[in-house]
Amino acid sequence: MAGSWQSESSDDAAVVEQCYGDVLAYCRRHGPRGSAEDLAQEVFLRFARQSTYRDRGTAKAYLLAIARNLCIDAGRSTDRAPLPVDPSGEEVAAIADPRNPIGDWELSQALAALDAQSREVLELRYDQGLSASEMAQVLEVSRFSAHRRLKRALEQLRQQLLPADSSATEERSPR
């Protein structure tokens, strides 16, 4: 069958090798603190327990969908740790990923100001490199809904990054 594959031991090892880093990074950002490795392990255990995987999506999208559900469940069952506090006393969202080359304080603050759904869709698209169809599979929505969420998140991010005076100028200028 074109586009589908069976989850056999050699295929499982290749999938783990190929996708473990992405699944772990996702679990670090979305799961309760200190539980990322356990959640990532559970993702692959659930994947291995499946006798076959027959979907048109990619293994990575399927694994991230499992990770998303596990992180949601883990967040419900444990107390959320408070966000770290910077020296000025403001709470900041920890977007700590050693693979994140951005390091830009303004972008980090703009991302932290977005709602969780917007941050997640941006992460799936730009960090994980998923297409709209694959994002839809992970988020369990239609492809069009995933695309709309991405457009809305990008617009919110753009608004966060625009200086206050340039947004006022933009509103006054005719199109």
Side-chain angles (χ1 to χ4, degrees):
M1 259 190 256
S4 67
W5 50 276
Q6 293 211 353
S7 175
E8 298 171 2
S9 61
S10 63
D11 290 339
D12 287 349
V15 169
V16 169
E17 187 174 317
Q18 191 175 50
C19 299
Y20 184 79
D22 293 326
V23 170
L24 181 60
Y26 185 91
C27 292
R28 281 186 178 141
R29 283 190 289 274
H30 297 281
R33 288 196 182 154
S35 64
E37 290 82 8
D38 292 338
L39 289 169
Q41 180 180 5
E42 183 63 26
V43 167
F44 288 99
L45 286 173
R46 289 188 183 190
F47 175 76
R49 288 181 191 134
Q50 298 288 331
S51 59
T52 58
Y53 169 66
R54 298 175 195 260
D55 197 16
R56 290 179 229 177
T58 64
K60 183 177 179 179
Y62 181 66
L63 290 167
L64 289 173
I66 295 171
R68 180 177 189 261
N69 291 331
L70 285 172
C71 288
I72 289 170
D73 290 346
R76 287 180 185 150
S77 64
T78 61
D79 292 332
R80 289 277 185 184
L83 292 173
V85 177
D86 73 358
S88 68
E90 295 182 30
E91 288 186 342
V92 293
I95 305 175
D97 181 1
R99 298 180 308 146
N100 184 1
I102 296 173
D104 184 0
W105 177 254
E106 291 174 350
L107 181 57
S108 295
Q109 289 296 330
L111 287 169
L114 297 177
D115 61 279
Q117 184 182 71
S118 295
R119 282 192 308 271
E120 181 176 25
V121 76
L122 288 170
E123 176 190 347
L124 291 172
R125 176 67 182 111
Y126 295 106
D127 185 40
Q128 302 296 337
L130 299 183
S131 68
S133 297
E134 293 168 331
M135 288 186 322
Q137 181 183 0
V138 171
L139 298 170
E140 297 176 343
V141 297
S142 72
R143 186 181 81 222
F144 299 108
S145 179
H147 183 71
R148 281 191 306 272
R149 287 181 185 189
L150 179 60
K151 280 183 73 169
R152 185 174 55 242
L154 287 170
E155 179 59 28
Q156 290 172 350
L157 184 61
R158 186 177 73 77
Q159 291 299 319
Q160 289 289 329
L161 292 172
L162 280 177
D165 50 81
S166 72
S167 62
T169 306
E170 188 178 291
E171 290 174 10
R172 283 186 253 134
S173 64
R175 293 190 182 222

